[in-house]
Amino acid sequence: MISYNVIGQPIVRSDGFEKVTGRAQYTGDLKLPGMLWGKVLRSPFAHARIIRVDTSRAVGLPGVHAVLTGDDTRGVRYGRRLFDVPPLAEERVLFAGERVAAVAAESMEIAQNAIDLIEVEYDPLPAIADPLESMKGDAFLLHPDVNDYVGLPKKLEKVSNVFVTNTWGKGELDTGFAQADHILERTYTTPLVHQAYLEPHSCVVFIDEDQRIQIWAANKAPFALRQQLAAAIGVDEDRIRLNPTYIGGDFGGKGSPMDVPLVYFLALHSKRPVRMVMDYVEEFTAANPRHPSVTTVRSGVLNDGTLTAWEARIIFNSGAYGGFKPGVNLGGARDVAGPYKIPHTFVEAIQVYTNSVPGGHMRGPGEPQGIFAGESHLDEIARILGIDPLEFRLKNLVGEGDVTATGSLYRDVKAKETLEAASMAARYGSPLAMNVGRGMAMGARAPGGGETHVGVIFQKDGTVVARTPILDQGTGTYTTVNQVVAEELGLSSDKVQIIPWNTDAVSFDTGIGGSRGTRVASQAAYAAAQNAKQELLRAASEIRGWDPSNLVLKDNKVYKGNTEDYIDFDFVVQNCGFDIQGTSGIEDREQLTVTAFCAQIAEVAVDVETGQIKLLRFTSAHDVGQVLNPIGHQGQINGGVVQGIGYALMEELEVEDGRVSNVTFGDYKIPTMADIPELRTVLVQSKNGVGPYNIKGIGENTNTAVAAAIANAVEDAIGVRVYSLPITAEKVLAALRESNV
Amino acid sequence: MAKLHVETTINGESTEILVDPQQSLLETLRDGLMLTGAKEGCNDGNCGACTVIMDGRTVNSCLVLGAEAQDADITTIEGLATPRGLHPLQQAFLENAALQCGICTPGFLISSKSLLDSNPNPSEEEVRFWLAGNLCRCTGYDKIVRAVLDAAKEMKAGN
């Protein structure tokens, strides 16, 4: 191993001081002179025709500066890729919670009063909340014009509510099933869940005296938002500037324009800065939660446990719009087939419009849904064959040179090692008490690619400023940039200050997501630091007349080769007569041979009288490259696991008559500190990483296999399987009763 | 509606402020006094991001009226550090990376302070119970538990 001074150390977060003192400014903390409050009127109906919107009383209320309806934004559509979302509904509302009218007023109270004065006459229409109903040929169309939408990946031959389909696979399914000794088909469902970042969506839009559109938004992909907004409202991107702000959690949910296009129109009409903050009821009913899914898996296997065929179809309920996901579909769906060497496979993922809240991205989009189905299914096959689930997985997992079920080939494959490490740490196989069980599941996640820039500027006081266009939503990218720059310049971490850039500063940044942060930011920070270092050495050589090719930067000094002759670097910065800086632009979108395996083992006790599940222990094993910051890395693991525990056991946005009915954290329970069992982590060292430090990503695959591991543990404990998340006491009890019939 | 004149003490300083009768303490702090450290998460008393200490008790400031601050003694996150430096809890949160996005952090720190004020030597179980009213979606909580226990140890050693 290469030894580092700052890399690999438990460095304090670069944003830590501001955050523990309450000084960190989030979008909702911002106040601009003359700023108005924006507020939205939302549809109570899942599907209705809008007959009439009367805003006259709201317009007349003192303190109200703008009142907008669909007429004011007519024709505008936005999205992350597929532009199908209107800022305000026009003829029809397609989900309960859809925006129908909006106001901007001098206080929150006046804004709310104005909203209450708007009269809307609806003609309620039949609604389809079930994607299986919506897929049928005779279902009414939510989007009859879908073929005209910007961003639709492929025109539909026949317009239906199924607006996008992706497939993966290899071999010949018929051959695989013909070889099989056993064929098993099962269907699994996963619920609508919320990312539950604690900072609701918020934004401030202000059109300044130069007609520039100044924006602060809880959005982790500001350059993409600039593109999306420019295209939606028909202005040049140059007119729009996204300004840096702290973001209070994301988990995939903070990458869409959400209310920004609407607030732009409020700012345009009121000629004032406008702030809009969703309240949490709006978050639960009308943001962009994780897609519910219905997945059918059909597998073929030999008596000896060799998988021969795997067919899976995942139906994602997209809700009323498809604009909240950057890929239109969810690519993680392919992980339903997992890191297994199955010769004959076919996986299909489809997105279906329904009259419910539109789905968006959440931590490994498509993966938790697919992996819950796939890894539950694997366990059931193993039990039917009488093979231990661990042994069964080890037999079918990819090794070096093996292609995965959906055609990926990786190097330095640590799948089996990771599973074995998890099994050791969890003491898999050791005796268990009655009604206690262990279950496992696996996932794999390659770090995503993208583009970013970093600037490194030496300061006259001997410190360094590092600039980044990335907005850290909590995952620690500022600290990554800090550590890389400090490492490469031989400084301690506290000498490097991170100052984020606005979108004017560089051409593009992909934004956080897809476990790309560390991959992309570490390369950019490394290159910028190297460039800055060369500039510093050049400046030192000019001051001293030394040969620039033989200088060494060490301990805040520039040494002449290996001699004791040196010059302090702050002296160089102060006396060279120019600014010493280095910049970099990195574009790394290569499809990698690097992935990161994750194996998780849950241990649960089930009360067979009540169905109550108690999670006793949870073990998470990960194959890793160089860990840049062990405490930050551990936080991503713990946080992901705990989010997965919520998905497995507690969380579901319940939809009744098309409306989300549990709209507070009192009713929508997420794990608290008291709900968390002992968490064990094992790291398996891999040599095949990315970039100058050989890293892998950790953000997403910590949460993708958790639910399946818990479902498998429940079956191990009491012999019954629950095929739908969350695994509640009621479902366990029902499954127990059914098995006893 | 007529505004109410409220005299209160915030972070040791006597303060006078005009509040709307229906305005929450959270809104009063954030919009009236520009103390934006307390955060609005759920605004219905479930998430704990707005926690402040009022007359020795932790309250969700979104559920308290600004008018109720009359004659009260209130501590917010802005009052945790002193001119001598960070509070041991703040230091321990930094060292344990017991924060990520930071939106829940002020509430956790204030609740933790209130715990250590009343129970300087809490068990892990007591920490988990006391802080179960504060939600965090980033950290998985483990590092927060450790930070609070570390701070308790540090404060005991320092006394």
Side-chain angles (χ1 to χ4, degrees):
Chain A
M1 291 287 292
I2 305 163
S3 86
Y4 297 109
N5 294 316
V6 189
I7 296 295
Q9 301 301 313
I11 298 296
V12 166
R13 290 182 68 96
S14 299
D15 49 6
F17 182 81
E18 283 189 282
K19 287 178 175 175
V20 298
T21 51
R23 294 179 197 178
Q25 291 280 299
Y26 299 77
T27 305
D29 299 332
L30 185 71
K31 261 200 171 172
L32 297 178
M35 189 168 74
L36 303 176
W37 281 91
K39 191 77 193 151
V40 169
L41 177 66
R42 294 179 183 275
S43 166
F45 296 105
H47 190 202
R49 194 169 305 286
I50 299 171
I51 310 283
R52 182 179 66 91
V53 185
D54 181 354
T55 59
S56 55
R57 291 171 68 210
V59 170
L61 192 69
V64 172
H65 290 255
V67 181
L68 304 183
T69 69
D71 282 342
D72 299 295
T73 61
R74 186 167 291 279
V76 175
R77 294 291 180 274
Y78 73 87
R80 292 182 74 171
R81 175 75 54 87
L82 176 64
F83 279 40
D84 65 351
V85 188
L88 291 167
E90 293 166 11
E91 274 70 35
R92 285 195 298 166
V93 288
L94 297 180
F95 74 99
E98 178 152 16
R99 294 171 296 230
V100 174
V103 304
E106 286 170 15
S107 74
M108 190 61 191
E109 285 69 32
I110 298 171
Q112 185 59 57
N113 290 341
I115 287 292
D116 294 344
L117 291 173
I118 298 172
E119 287 174 32
V120 186
E121 192 182 328
Y122 296 98
D123 175 17
L125 299 168
I128 313 180
D130 181 351
L132 303 181
E133 290 297 314
S134 188
M135 287 166 65
K136 290 181 179 165
D138 58 351
F140 67 81
L141 296 174
L142 274 87
H143 293 268
D145 303 327
V146 64
N147 267 338
D148 300 332
Y149 290 164
V150 172
L152 187 72
K154 195 172 161 219
K155 288 237 186 293
L156 308 178
E157 280 173 27
K158 180 176 180 296
V159 174
S160 84
N161 290 326
V162 177
F163 63 93
V164 64
T165 302
N166 289 69
T167 61
W168 299 266
K170 62 179 187 184
E172 294 288 337
L173 265 189
D174 290 347
T175 310
F177 282 116
Q179 291 167 355
D181 295 319
H182 300 269
I183 292 173
L184 181 70
E185 181 175 321
R186 291 286 185 268
T187 296
Y188 308 84
T189 62
T190 65
L192 183 70
V193 299
H194 196 281
Q195 295 87 352
Y197 36 72
L198 291 187
E199 176 209 33
H201 275 92
S202 42
C203 64
V204 174
V205 181
F206 167 45
I207 302 167
D208 71 15
E209 58 272 21
D210 299 325
Q211 294 306 303
R212 296 212 58 199
I213 303 162
Q214 302 280 354
I215 301 172
W216 291 257
N219 182 299
K220 47 87 174 266
F223 289 78
L225 173 57
R226 185 176 68 167
Q227 285 178 341
Q228 292 150 3
L229 181 65
I233 63 176
V235 306
D236 285 342
E237 276 186 48
D238 292 349
R239 264 193 66 201
I240 302 171
R241 186 166 105 178
L242 271 292
N243 297 289
T245 177
Y246 277 112
I247 297 172
D250 156 34
F251 318 108
K254 296 266 182 74
S256 71
M258 200 48 70
D259 291 328
V260 172
L262 174 59
V263 178
Y264 160 75
F265 284 106
L266 286 173
L268 185 71
H269 284 260
S270 66
K271 301 186 170 55
R272 299 269 285 265
V274 179
R275 161 162 74 178
M276 177 107 73
V277 180
M278 280 178 125
D279 65 37
Y280 228 95
V281 174
E282 293 177 292
E283 273 289 347
F284 279 131
T285 51
N288 58 170
R290 180 182 276 164
H291 294 68
S293 69
V294 179
T295 299
T296 300
V297 180
R298 185 165 170 258
S299 63
V301 63
L302 303 181
N303 282 328
D304 71 356
T306 306
L307 286 162
T308 59
W310 190 273
E311 182 182 16
R313 185 185 211 204
I314 303 195
I315 299 162
F316 288 115
N317 181 348
S318 180
Y321 297 101
F324 294 100
K325 35 195 174 274
V328 186
N329 209 331
L330 302 178
R334 67 186 289 190
D335 285 13
V336 66
Y340 299 97
K341 47 185 183 193
I342 313 169
H344 305 287
T345 60
F346 180 73
V347 174
E348 181 181 41
I350 65 172
Q351 290 282 346
V352 189
Y353 284 129
T354 66
N355 294 113
S356 51
V357 54
H361 264 191
M362 180 172 169
R363 209 166 195 168
E367 289 162 51
Q369 295 98 323
I371 291 174
F372 171 65
E375 290 284 325
S376 293
H377 194 85
L378 282 176
D379 238 58
E380 191 167 350
I381 304 170
R383 287 171 199 280
I384 288 170
L385 295 175
I387 303 176
D388 186 276
L390 173 64
E391 202 184 307
F392 180 63
R393 282 182 176 79
L394 289 173
K395 185 178 180 66
N396 288 287
L397 274 171
V398 287
E400 206 64 31
D402 292 330
V403 174
T404 67
T406 50
S408 296
L409 179 65
Y410 301 111
R411 282 194 299 117
D412 196 29
V413 173
K414 297 285 187 208
K416 292 174 191 170
E417 290 85 341
T418 306
L419 181 56
E420 280 164 345
S423 126
M424 289 264 286
R427 298 189 194 97
Y428 187 78
S430 66
L432 292 166
M434 178 121 154
N435 299 328
V436 173
R438 293 195 188 98
M440 66 187 65
M442 291 203 66
R445 227 293 172 185
E451 175 180 353
T452 197
H453 300 253
V454 168
V456 172
I457 309 110
F458 283 97
Q459 307 295 300
K460 293 209 170 7
D461 63 359
T463 65
V464 164
V465 166
R467 309 295 306 264
T468 168
I470 293 175
L471 302 185
D472 189 333
Q473 22 63 297
T475 52
T477 311
Y478 290 168
T479 317
T480 298
V481 171
N482 172 306
Q483 288 185 250
V484 171
V485 170
E487 181 71 46
E488 296 311 318
L489 299 180
L491 297 169
S492 59
S493 162
D494 60 351
K495 297 287 187 216
V496 179
Q497 187 194 359
I498 303 292
I499 304 178
W501 267 320
N502 65 47
T503 53
D504 287 351
V506 295
S507 53
F508 192 70
D509 165 69
T510 316
I512 291 293
S515 298
R516 77 166 65 82
T518 303
R519 169 177 170 184
V520 179
S522 69
Q523 293 183 67
Y526 180 88
Q530 294 301 338
N531 292 338
K533 186 170 154 183
Q534 291 313 313
E535 281 296 287
L536 180 78
L537 298 183
R538 186 171 68 85
S541 78
E542 281 179 15
I543 291 173
R544 282 294 172 89
W546 290 340
D547 174 6
S549 66
N550 191 29
L551 300 180
V552 177
L553 178 62
K554 202 170 68 182
D555 302 330
N556 295 353
K557 298 174 177 67
V558 178
Y559 284 87
K560 183 185 177 189
N562 289 326
T563 69
E564 289 300 305
D565 202 1
Y566 68 83
I567 174 171
D568 282 317
F569 100 54
D570 46 347
F571 182 85
V572 179
V573 178
Q574 286 158 14
N575 294 285
C576 71
F578 57 91
D579 287 339
I580 301 179
Q581 52 189 315
T583 56
S584 70
I586 291 290
E587 198 173 342
D588 173 13
R589 300 179 198 278
E590 191 195 344
Q591 193 67 39
L592 298 175
T593 60
V594 176
T595 195
F597 292 95
C598 162
Q600 297 180 317
I601 300 185
E603 190 174 316
V604 303
V606 184
D607 183 331
V608 292
E609 300 296 322
T610 63
Q612 188 73 37
I613 297 167
K614 187 168 169 55
L615 186 58
L616 303 174
R617 268 170 210 97
F618 197 90
T619 303
S620 199
H622 299 271
D623 93 288
V624 298
Q626 169 69 48
V627 172
L628 297 189
N629 186 324
I631 47 174
H633 191 258
Q634 189 66 48
Q636 287 293 81
I637 295 172
N638 292 353
V641 165
V642 170
Q643 206 163 42
I645 292 170
Y647 192 50
L649 296 173
M650 310 165 85
E651 296 180 33
E652 177 168 23
L653 287 170
E654 289 160 19
V655 180
E656 291 169 22
D657 300 329
R659 297 182 191 89
V660 175
S661 61
N662 49 344
V663 296
T664 72
F665 279 113
D667 298 313
Y668 182 90
K669 296 286 192 191
I670 68 170
T672 74
M673 195 179 269
D675 297 317
I676 302 311
E678 180 193 344
L679 303 177
R680 287 183 193 156
T681 303
V682 205
L683 303 182
V684 175
Q685 199 64 48
S686 157
K687 290 194 282 292
N688 190 28
V690 194
Y693 308 107
N694 220 34
I695 64 90
K696 296 190 177 195
I698 191 67
E700 291 173 292
N701 73 4
T702 54
N703 93 115
T704 52
V706 179
I710 291 174
N712 293 340
V714 169
E715 174 157 24
D716 190 51
I718 55 168
V720 300
R721 174 162 293 281
V722 176
Y723 295 89
S724 82
L725 296 179
I727 309 168
T728 58
E730 290 86 345
K731 288 180 191 171
V732 170
L733 214 51
L736 273 170
R737 289 201 177 122
E738 204 174 309
S739 74
N740 291 336
V741 169
Chain B
M1 221 179 289
K3 288 189 186 265
L4 303 171
H5 177 248
V6 171
E7 290 178 32
T8 184
T9 303
I10 297 177
N11 299 327
E13 278 183 41
S14 299
T15 307
E16 292 180 50
I17 184 170
L18 293 174
V19 304
D20 286 324
Q22 80 281 12
Q23 201 175 18
S24 71
L25 176 58
L26 178 62
E27 288 168 320
T28 306
L29 292 170
R30 290 176 54 82
D31 298 336
L33 295 165
M34 300 304 285
L35 293 172
T36 56
K39 299 301 179 195
E40 181 181 320
C42 66
N43 210 29
D44 56 23
N46 280 299
C47 78
C50 66
T51 308
V52 302
I53 297 174
M54 187 168 175
D55 295 330
R57 291 171 54 217
T58 55
V59 295
N60 288 312
S61 62
C62 71
L63 297 184
V64 174
L65 289 173
E68 293 178 79
Q70 177 69 36
D71 298 330
D73 185 6
I74 292 165
T75 304
T76 72
I77 186 66
E78 287 89 349
L80 204 53
T82 66
R84 280 169 293 148
L86 294 177
H87 188 280
L89 276 164
Q90 291 170 309
Q91 195 59 40
F93 268 57
L94 284 177
E95 284 165 10
N96 285 277
L99 68 144
Q100 289 183 209
C101 85
I103 203 87
C104 72
T105 309
F108 265 102
L109 283 164
I110 289 293
S111 291
S112 304
K113 179 186 188 305
S114 153
L115 168 65
L116 298 187
D117 284 350
S118 62
N119 178 1
N121 194 20
S123 66
E124 178 171 338
E125 192 74 17
E126 286 170 325
V127 171
R128 286 182 183 270
F129 183 76
W130 188 279
L131 295 179
N134 290 79
L135 298 178
C136 167
R137 193 63 151 175
C138 291
T139 62
Y141 299 111
D142 235 40
K143 296 181 299 177
I144 298 177
V145 179
R146 234 165 285 167
V148 176
L149 293 171
D150 278 5
K153 217 182 289 172
E154 180 66 32
M155 287 166 78
K156 224 171 130 196
N159 280 340

